[in-house]
Amino acid sequence: MPATAQKDLYEILGVSRDASEAEIKKAFRHKARELHPDVNKSANAEEEFKELNEAYDVLSDAQKRAQYDRFGTIPGAAGSGPGYVDFEDIFGGFGGMGDIFSTFFGGAARSQQVRREGRDMGLGITVSLEDAARGTSKEVIYDRLATCPDCDGAGIGEGGEEKTCERCGGSGRVTVVQRTMFGDMQSSTTCSECEGTGKIIEGACEECQGQGRVPDRQKVSVDIPAGIRDGQQMRVPNLGEAGMRGASSGDLIVTIRIQPDDYFQRDGDDLHVAVTISMVQAALGARITVDGIMEGEEVEVKVPEGTQSGDVLKVKGRGMPRLRSSARGNLYVHVSVKIPKKLNKKERGLLEKLALEMGEETQGERSPLEKLKDFFG
């Protein structure tokens, strides 16, 4: 049972039950800064931070919040609602709100030069083969450092200003001279006063603490084009990690994964499907209809006379759409000929006449018991 099961989620965040989405976000950020284990060294800080995250997971999602308001129960595990993506930042970032706050607080890398530009972030989306063929739009929810809404990313609070760092002269680096037995040795290090930015903010924005960005939960709709292949990536500009104090944001890199299909097998832009026909259709030829990959599509397949089990029939232009093209691949129909295990008297008679006409030997006269079975069959 989650830690929040017996507690009021609104009370945990410190907001009223009619709080707006913006108020819930702001309350979460303020509480998270107080409770995050990087800054709060109390024994129960980690448990309280987890509890806060669980409350925010529910109240920041309109669907889960409505269910909680109606029934008073927490709908599912934290972060597991529809559209939520538990992603791995494939470009060296973070993987959850807790890690985002660690990045926000600076972690253990204060001695290194602070990266101003936002990093690229990556997540995976799984779609069906039909969605990949027709194109679709998927809404995803993920955590990132976003532009601060209070200062529009400047990091400067009301009445504040940004000044050039006096210690490093705006370079972000300071030169240290050490005397050694070999003479004076110079080395350059990150300025500890401005943490490598070259700027000092007097009167920083309270919401982002001068960074110009805040941890946030992002909801974005990703348009997936028709014909995309498994493993292909899409770049969504400026929706990765926001840069510090107006620096450029990273991009969101979306990797598409396509679920295996029960009916079709894909090979590039071609599709393969298996069908079963009767021995009569195989011998005389026929026209059969199979389902196509596009919605409501029916594909007519010409079966030539004398088709054998294992033959592959090609239908041009009825496979997968080619990415960013009006053309399509081919559909390959793999034929299996079904031989009936039981025949009625009339069917058997017809086949016996055919065998006689073709000069083929069969099992000969049937026993009285077999004829009796035919009579009752």
Side-chain angles (χ1 to χ4, degrees), residues 32-99:
R33 282 199 291 266
E34 296 173 9
L35 297 175
H36 195 279
D38 279 0
V39 294
N40 191 322
K41 301 305 178 184
S42 65
N44 59 345
E46 187 173 343
E47 186 61 31
E48 289 182 352
F49 185 75
K50 179 182 176 184
E51 187 178 74
L52 182 70
N53 265 285
E54 290 175 345
Y56 183 63
D57 281 330
V58 174
L59 299 186
S60 64
D61 183 285
Q63 208 170 14
K64 289 195 281 188
R65 181 181 179 182
Q67 185 177 336
Y68 173 75
D69 288 344
R70 184 176 180 184
F71 301 107
T73 57
I74 297 175
S80 61
Y84 187 87
V85 175
D86 180 17
F87 66 90
E88 177 185 359
D89 183 355
I90 57 177
F91 297 96
F94 35 77
M97 189 62 85
D99 289 339

Side-chain angles (χ1 to χ4, degrees), residues 23 28 57-58 79 86 92 99 138 161 172 210 291 320 329 372:
E23 289 171 332
F28 169 71
D57 281 330
V58 174
D86 180 17
D99 289 339
K138 292 286 185 181
E161 61 178 332
D291 292 334
M320 289 289 290
L372 184 64

Side-chain angles (χ1 to χ4, degrees), residues 101-123:
F101 267 100
S102 293
T103 303
F104 179 68
F105 292 127
R110 287 297 188 187
S111 62
Q112 299 176 8
Q113 185 164 350
V114 175
R115 177 191 176 103
R116 292 182 59 84
E117 296 77 18
R119 295 171 296 178
D120 288 342
M121 297 174 65
L123 61 81

Side-chain angles (χ1 to χ4, degrees), residues 279-280 339-340 342-358 360 362:
M279 63 179 187
V280 176
I339 307 298
K342 293 184 179 180
L343 298 170
N344 61 35
K345 186 177 181 181
K346 184 176 181 180
E347 291 168 342
R348 176 169 289 279
L350 289 171
L351 284 179
E352 287 175 345
K353 288 181 181 178
L354 178 62
L356 186 63
E357 182 71 23
M358 298 177 68
E360 294 184 354
T362 61

Side-chain angles (χ1 to χ4, degrees), residues 213-252:
R213 58 187 185 178
V214 291
D216 199 4
R217 184 146 294 163
Q218 184 78 43
K219 182 184 293 184
V220 61
S221 183
V222 179
D223 293 326
I224 300 171
I228 198 161
R229 299 190 185 187
D230 182 67
Q232 283 191 303
Q233 294 181 335
M234 300 169 54
R235 183 178 291 269
V236 185
N238 302 318
L239 282 179
E241 181 184 89
M244 288 185 64
R245 300 178 194 169
S248 60
S249 297
D251 297 336
L252 179 64

Side-chain angles (χ1 to χ4, degrees), residues 88-374:
E88 177 185 359
D89 183 355
I90 57 177
F91 297 96
F94 35 77
M97 189 62 85
D99 289 339
I100 289 176
F101 267 100
S102 293
T103 303
F104 179 68
F105 292 127
R110 287 297 188 187
S111 62
Q112 299 176 8
Q113 185 164 350
V114 175
R115 177 191 176 103
R116 292 182 59 84
E117 296 77 18
R119 295 171 296 178
D120 288 342
M121 297 174 65
L123 61 81
I125 298 179
T126 300
V127 299
S128 66
L129 184 63
E130 287 82 359
D131 283 342
R134 303 163 191 172
T136 188
S137 180
K138 292 286 185 181
E139 187 176 80
V140 293
I141 303 170
Y142 63 102
D143 299 329
R144 73 173 187 130
L145 287 174
T147 301
C148 176
D150 283 17
C151 64
D152 292 327
I156 305 171
E158 187 175 351
E161 61 178 332
E162 185 180 65
K163 294 183 176 180
T164 300
C165 177
E166 293 181 359
R167 185 174 184 225
C168 66
S171 67
R173 308 285 293 178
V174 292
T175 301
V176 178
V177 179
Q178 291 181 316
R179 297 186 180 276
T180 70
M181 60 183 297
F182 301 106
D184 292 345
M185 302 289 289
Q186 290 187 352
S187 63
S188 179
T189 61
T190 300
C191 176
S192 59
E193 194 70 26
C194 65
E195 296 179 346
T197 64
K199 301 290 183 180
I200 296 291
I201 291 180
E202 293 184 356
C205 170
E206 292 184 2
E207 183 68 12
C208 65
Q209 300 180 353
Q211 285 199 29
R213 58 187 185 178
V214 291
D216 199 4
R217 184 146 294 163
Q218 184 78 43
K219 182 184 293 184
V220 61
S221 183
V222 179
D223 293 326
I224 300 171
I228 198 161
R229 299 190 185 187
D230 182 67
Q232 283 191 303
Q233 294 181 335
M234 300 169 54
R235 183 178 291 269
V236 185
N238 302 318
L239 282 179
E241 181 184 89
M244 288 185 64
R245 300 178 194 169
S248 60
S249 297
D251 297 336
L252 179 64
I253 312 299
V254 181
T255 302
I256 304 300
R257 296 298 178 190
I258 300 176
Q259 294 173 324
D261 191 81
D262 293 334
Y263 186 68
F264 293 103
Q265 293 291 326
R266 184 179 185 180
D267 180 17
D269 293 327
D270 297 330
L271 291 174
H272 296 256
V273 65
V275 299
T276 300
I277 62 174
S278 70
M279 63 179 187
V280 176
Q281 290 174 313
L284 301 180
R287 289 187 181 273
I288 62 173
T289 300
V290 299
D291 292 334
I293 190 66
M294 308 305 285
E295 187 173 5
E297 182 181 40
E298 292 186 343
V299 180
E300 186 179 84
V301 182
K302 182 180 179 181
V303 180
E305 60 180 61
T307 294
Q308 304 296 306
S309 193
D311 283 355
V312 181
L313 309 177
K314 177 181 176 181
V315 185
K316 290 184 178 181
R318 291 304 184 99
M320 289 289 290
R322 301 190 192 280
L323 188 62
R324 298 182 180 87
S325 170
S326 59
R328 291 173 63 179
N330 300 320
L331 176 66
Y332 291 91
V333 181
H334 297 250
V335 177
S336 177
V337 179
K338 184 178 181 180
I339 307 298
K341 293 183 178 180
K342 293 184 179 180
L343 298 170
N344 61 35
K345 186 177 181 181
K346 184 176 181 180
E347 291 168 342
R348 176 169 289 279
L350 289 171
L351 284 179
E352 287 175 345
K353 288 181 181 178
L354 178 62
L356 186 63
E357 182 71 23
M358 298 177 68
E360 294 184 354
E361 292 186 5
T362 61
Q363 68 176 0
E365 185 67 20
R366 306 184 74 236
S367 69
L369 180 59
E370 289 174 327
K371 290 181 179 181
L372 184 64
K373 286 182 179 179
D374 287 343

